[in-house]
Amino acid sequence: MVDYKGYVHKDQDKDRGEAKERKGERERFKSSERDRDKLRETERGKDHREREREKFKEKIQEKDAEKEKHITRKDKEKGSEKEKDRKYRRDDQKQMLKQNNLRTHGEKDKEQHRRRESKDQLEQANVRDEVKERRHTERKVKEGKKSERKNSVGEFLTMKDEGSGHRHKSHRDQELNKDRERSQRDKREHQHLVRAGKERPSKQRSHELFVKDGEEKCVSRRPKEGFSTEDRERQKRENNEKRQREENERKKRDLKNSEHNKQGKSLREEETSHQYERSTTDKRKSNEAEKKADTRQRQNPGDHVSTGKPMQRQKSEEELEIIDNYLTNYEDDFEDYEDDFDDDEEDNDNEDRDSEEKLREIPISKKSEIEEIQRAINAENERINIMPPKKMQKEHEKEPKMERQDSPARGSLCRMFMDFEAANQRQTNRNMASIQKKRSSELLRLIDLDFSVSFSLLDLPPVNEYDMYIRNFGKTNTKQAYVQCNEDNLERDVQTDEIETLEKWTQHPGDSVLVSGGPRRSNDVSIDVAVTPRIDSQRLTNFLRSACQVIAVLLEEDRGATQPRWNLRSRQTSLSISDSCFQLNTNLLFLHGRKVFCLHVSQVQRQALLSVHGLPEKPSVIQLDRKYIICVWNVWQPSSPQKVLVCEAEVTCCCFSPSKATLVFAGTMDGSLVVWDLREDSRMHLCMKLNETDWIFRAPTFSTDGVLSSLNHSCPVVAIESISTSIYKKQNYELSHLSSQEEMSGLSFQIASMDENGTLNLWVAVELQKVDLAGSQSDLGLIPGGKVKLVHSSTLQLNNSLFPKAILCLTTPQTLNIKFLPSNPNHFIVGTDVGVVSHGTRHDLRVLPKLFKPQQGGPRSVRANAVDFSPLGKPIFLVGCSDGSIRLHQMTSEHPLIQWNDSTNGQPVIALQWALTRPAVFFVLDASSSVYIWDLLENDLCPVAKQIIQSDKVMTMVVLGEPEKTNGLLGIALAKQSGIIDIQYVKKKWALPQSEESEKLQLLLQQFL
Amino acid sequence: MEEPLGLASPGDTYSLRPAFRHRFRSSIVKECIHAILKENLANVQYNPEETPQLTRSLSDAIKDRLKEEGFHRYKMVVQVVIGEQRGEGVNMAARCFWDADTDNYAQDVFMNDSLFCVVAAFGCFYY
């Protein structure tokens, strides 16, 4: 088969070239008489036409093959019956093929021989029997026709499919072809018979390889042919008219096609076969054979020309038509031809050839057109050839074989076989197709097909990047509503430092040591508050004040009692009458050069001593130069005064408050009264630092100076006495003392002040409950912050009431001092400068005796400088006069009990005072600074002791002593001119009380009476 | 040329319109498709190797299901397209040359996170 393939190509190539060559040869050989050029021309034309036709034919074949394949495929699907049929046939074919192959291979030599033989026979036959030859050729032509038919059926089918018109025609053809079919069948049978008869020789006749192949096929198809006839007969029997018709149609068409093929093909086949004969077999013989073949060939055309001229004409015309309207009119042409063929199937071989010849002689003018078409067709073929399916190749292979079959008989057999193979398929296909077609055509008349609107099946928009991101990275089932990208978070530079704050607190006045503070940090507040101690400062100060006094007194007592300091200092100054003495420390800067005018001892607190200092002779301290000073001493603490009081006016007299030594009262030269409250805070007063010691100079708390001018004294105050209202009720001194302490809180006591003109004012000291630091509007004499003030109670004009008219008519007596009866404060005695002491009461009651007169004489100018009641409750008093006389009076008698004249040698008595511890002892100071001690029980005519103080002049004297105590301490304070205050403790014999002293004194007094 | 009429086989009668109850109704078909898709693709992830098989089985399933629905004389064409969801845009459209009186189509889309599946079922009446 491979060889054959190679051959196919070679053949195609050679075909023309050799044909030409051959023609050339032919010319050389045969065209001796004829005009060569002309001949050549015609030959060429012929050749050309032939070639074109060949091409055309080939193309058609190919097309057919292709289409057939297509159809067969369709058929396969549709008609199972047909398929089976075909299969069966094919199987047969294959079997045959094998057999043939075996045979051919085995009998190769034989074949060679046979070929030669057949060749010879052929030649002989050609020569011998024209009829036979004719028949051969005819058969060959027929075979070609049939072989072509097989291929062309497909084409036809397609053509038919293309247009309904074709089909109609084909129907017509079918009818026409019925006859033909019949005739063909006859012919086939005939051929069959003939072939059966000629089987041997025909086989022998196949010389060449390609011929052999063809032969094989032919041989293989032979039995099939028989079978196919049987098959057809069966079909006939079944009256399958349709299929029959189809087949007829196909055949018809094949015929038509084969006309084209036949024209060149058969001729060429012969030529080529000859050529091969020549090439393969003996050259010597080949020449002859060629000659013969040529002659035969030439004869044939010649015959064609001669016999088939009208046909040729017709045909040429048809050709033109084909060119013009190939697809549409092609079949019509065939019909004509078919008719021709049908008419003379057996005999008109020549005519066919003639027609072929005729074609060759187509005018040149039309040739060009044909050429064009052919070229187009070629191009199409080439395109198809590019990818020929397998089946197509197969058919392709088969076709050339068939074409090159030498023996027309065999060729016819082959074609017959091929015909049957595909026939059923095609038929069924065509049937189905026609049915479909018909159906569609009928339906389409009833139905309107239209294009629908295009449906959108899916419109999925591309996912944008954000969604993609969210899908991949975002959380599921969440949607992002908006984005916050911290755009509004701005920062600006600030140039100021942050202000540091700290909380602090302060308090004024300070509750305690801690007066200010605050947390280091704000959160420490609570801790600090908790730490601050809760102190009741008021209570504490009260406690300290009292405690200090107690402690101080205790310490002084201890010191004074056991180890008196003055022992050392007052050695020179110690007096004969005294056991011991000491000095109050007046050696202070502000007391330098001041004389002491007055001394006063509290009646309750015996240790409290007041000393009044006058103006200094030389200015020392500028601020205090013009002020008078009162010092408050505790005799147990002689080192320094307890308090220092200052006063603008000259102080003439002073006294303590009766119950407790907290207030100091003083009368001045200008008639005013001044009060100091010793409890006042030191900060209210002037503070000076002198000799590294702070000294507080207290200003008066209350002053009547300038206030209450109508009621105030108009002349210097000579005496001031405190009147304790409770004292007189208690006979017992001790009890009174106790009671006085109780009354202290009440501060309800009176102050009596008396001036030189005999005006006695009684004042009530009132302690204010409310302190006004800003100063009082109503109480003009009160210091800002002061608590004590004096309220005027009553005024007594002693001169008018006390003194008789006899005295008053001579001169107005001057009052010098006043004393209240200790047992009954309503009674008082007033010393005058007329030598008499008047007796008065606070309520202007008349009392007797009205006056206490000296023993001799009437009123005379003698000053009663000192008067003093006996402290122990006896209603007697002493009067010391300026003439040096001393009188002892009792309250009930106008005249004295006893009078001592010249006891002082005529020296005026300055001071006179009873001893506090002994009822019969009293002390007298005269102007010559002599101190006399009187003890009435010892000596009632003269003093028991006399002490003259020569070193310094004694200004005044006051007795100190504590009657409550029995320690025997009795002292006299002596204020000296130099400013020194000496305290002399008298000897024990005068100090210690003796047994039944008061009774003895009473007896003594009664003696005096 | 008038021969074909004569040649028409006597049995060739045509029903030009389907019975109403056999009519191809989109809603019903769509429900069928939807049910099948939901059943078969509920938790399916796109796998390029399995998808061709899946489309085939789906189309067969749908076709069989539609045949059960009894659309007589209807030729069914079921087209199944499965694609992966990768964010690309997809646009599918169809256009038919048919008899709008009898022929119809139904279409449904199934989508999950990894794939989308478009099913179009065309019913052509066979006269």
Side-chain angles (χ1 to χ4, degrees), chain A residues 617-805:
Chain A
E617 294 166 353
K618 299 174 186 174
S620 58
V621 180
I622 298 165
Q623 291 176 314
L624 299 169
D625 276 349
R626 302 216 171 256
K627 288 175 183 175
Y628 295 83
I629 291 174
I630 298 171
C631 290
V632 180
W633 301 88
N634 186 339
V635 291
W636 307 118
Q637 294 174 298
S639 58
S640 65
Q642 299 289 311
K643 301 279 192 301
V644 178
L645 314 177
V646 292
C647 182
E648 299 290 334
E650 183 184 353
V651 175
T652 55
C653 59
C654 65
C655 72
F656 276 109
S657 57
S659 57
K660 196 179 179 186
T662 55
L663 298 175
V664 174
F665 304 92
T668 62
M669 287 292 282
D670 52 4
S672 64
L673 291 175
V674 181
V675 182
W676 288 270
D677 186 357
L678 301 180
R679 297 167 299 179
E680 275 176 355
D681 196 344
S682 60
R683 284 173 296 182
M684 289 169 63
H685 303 285
L686 176 65
C687 177
M688 292 181 72
K689 189 160 188 175
L690 300 171
N691 290 338
E692 301 178 355
T693 309
D694 286 332
W695 293 100
I696 308 297
F697 300 97
R698 293 175 180 267
T701 302
F702 187 79
S703 171
T704 61
D705 197 6
V707 204
L708 310 168
S709 54
S710 59
L711 300 171
N712 218 342
H713 297 285
S714 56
C715 55
V717 177
V718 294
I720 183 167
E721 286 287 325
S722 64
I723 302 162
S724 175
T725 50
S726 61
I727 286 173
Y728 67 95
K729 292 171 188 173
K730 314 286 166 71
Q731 297 300 321
N732 193 335
Y733 192 79
E734 294 180 13
L735 289 174
S736 71
H737 174 67
L738 293 171
S739 65
S740 72
Q741 282 190 331
E742 289 173 2
E743 283 178 33
M744 210 167 52
S745 59
L747 280 175
S748 54
F749 57 92
Q750 287 185 323
I751 297 293
S753 65
M754 189 186 68
D755 63 12
E756 291 176 338
N757 293 330
T759 308
L760 180 68
N761 280 332
L762 294 174
W763 310 84
V764 177
V766 177
E767 187 169 7
L768 299 173
Q769 297 301 317
K770 187 180 171 187
V771 176
D772 194 353
L773 287 169
S776 173
Q777 296 287 330
S778 56
D779 301 323
L780 296 175
L782 191 63
I783 191 174
K787 294 167 80 176
V788 178
K789 71 173 183 179
L790 290 173
V791 176
H792 185 261
S793 174
S794 61
T795 301
L796 292 172
Q797 289 298 327
L798 297 174
N799 285 341
N800 298 328
S801 61
L802 291 177
F803 297 108
K805 286 182 181 175

Side-chain angles (χ1 to χ4, degrees), chain A residues 940-971:
Chain A
D940 57 353
L941 295 173
C942 59
V944 291
K946 182 186 174 183
Q947 177 67 48
I948 300 167
I949 300 165
Q950 294 160 338
S951 63
D952 204 352
K953 186 187 182 213
V954 177
M955 300 294 290
T956 184
M957 180 196 71
V958 69
V959 176
L960 295 168
E962 299 179 45
E964 301 87 17
K965 294 178 183 177
T966 57
N967 55 5
L969 278 176
L970 182 67

Side-chain angles (χ1 to χ4, degrees), chain A residues 164-165 167-168 171-172 245 435-436 438-439 442-443 445-464 468 471, chain B residues 1 3-4 7-9 12 14 16 79 85-100 105 107 109 111 116 118 120 126-127:
Chain A
S164 58
R167 199 179 48 189
H168 301 312
H171 285 299
R172 196 179 48 189
R245 241 180 281 148
I435 288 165
Q436 295 288 336
K438 189 174 68 185
R439 185 182 161 81
E442 284 169 7
L443 280 169
R445 257 179 271 151
L446 305 168
I447 296 160
D448 290 331
L449 293 182
D450 53 356
F451 275 109
S452 67
V453 199
S454 44
F455 313 117
S456 176
L457 297 180
L458 174 68
D459 191 2
L460 194 67
V463 180
N464 60 34
M468 198 64 161
R471 190 190 295 171
Chain B
M1 296 296 276
E3 279 175 4
L7 286 170
S9 59
D12 285 346
Y14 308 115
L16 289 173
Q79 184 191 22
Q85 285 259 48
R86 307 203 63 161
E88 289 93 341
V90 182
N91 201 341
M92 279 177 63
R95 202 170 187 206
C96 306
F97 180 63
W98 64 16
D99 183 0
Y105 87 108
Q107 165 263 346
V109 180
M111 289 213 264
F116 65 89
V118 184
Y126 196 69
Y127 298 97

Side-chain angles (χ1 to χ4, degrees), chain A residues 765-1005:
Chain A
V766 177
E767 187 169 7
L768 299 173
Q769 297 301 317
K770 187 180 171 187
V771 176
D772 194 353
L773 287 169
S776 173
Q777 296 287 330
S778 56
D779 301 323
L780 296 175
L782 191 63
I783 191 174
K787 294 167 80 176
V788 178
K789 71 173 183 179
L790 290 173
V791 176
H792 185 261
S793 174
S794 61
T795 301
L796 292 172
Q797 289 298 327
L798 297 174
N799 285 341
N800 298 328
S801 61
L802 291 177
F803 297 108
K805 286 182 181 175
I807 296 171
L808 290 172
C809 59
L810 292 176
T811 177
T812 302
Q814 187 180 2
T815 55
L816 296 175
N817 47 50
I818 184 170
K819 289 290 177 183
F820 285 86
L821 184 68
S823 55
N824 187 357
N826 289 323
H827 295 266
F828 57 86
I829 55 170
V830 175
T832 63
D833 62 344
V834 289
V836 293
V837 172
S838 53
H839 180 204
T841 59
R842 285 196 290 177
H843 308 292
D844 268 342
L845 296 172
R846 274 190 185 271
V847 286
L848 288 174
K850 203 174 179 181
L851 290 174
F852 299 97
K853 297 175 185 176
Q855 284 177 340
Q856 304 112 6
R860 50 179 178 160
S861 144
V862 174
R863 296 166 65 94
N865 285 333
V867 281
D868 188 31
F869 278 101
S870 173
L872 297 173
K874 292 198 183 297
I876 57 172
F877 62 93
L878 285 169
V879 176
C881 296
S882 59
D883 61 350
S885 62
I886 299 166
R887 292 176 302 187
L888 177 62
H889 285 272
Q890 61 179 352
M891 291 298 290
T892 58
S893 161
E894 190 178 87
H895 295 282
L897 289 171
I898 191 168
Q899 186 172 340
W900 297 280
N901 296 314
D902 299 329
S903 66
T904 57
N905 295 323
Q907 291 294 321
V909 174
I910 298 170
L912 178 151
Q913 192 168 7
W914 289 95
L916 296 172
T917 55
R918 286 185 70 181
V921 176
F922 62 88
F923 300 92
V924 175
L925 175 70
D926 66 3
S928 64
S929 300
S930 297
V931 174
Y932 304 92
I933 300 171
W934 289 76
D935 186 352
L936 293 178
L937 293 176
E938 194 180 328
N939 187 358
D940 57 353
L941 295 173
C942 59
V944 291
K946 182 186 174 183
Q947 177 67 48
I948 300 167
I949 300 165
Q950 294 160 338
S951 63
D952 204 352
K953 186 187 182 213
V954 177
M955 300 294 290
T956 184
M957 180 196 71
V958 69
V959 176
L960 295 168
E962 299 179 45
E964 301 87 17
K965 294 178 183 177
T966 57
N967 55 5
L969 278 176
L970 182 67
I972 51 173
L974 302 170
K976 297 179 179 174
Q977 200 176 10
S978 61
I980 296 167
I981 297 169
D982 256 343
I983 291 171
Q984 302 283 338
Y985 281 96
V986 296
K987 290 179 179 175
K988 297 293 179 188
K989 58 179 180 183
W990 297 304
L992 288 171
Q994 292 169 2
S995 59
E996 296 173 356
E997 199 175 11
S998 54
E999 285 82 15
K1000 287 177 183 171
L1001 182 61
Q1002 190 63 40
L1003 286 171
L1004 184 64
L1005 291 174

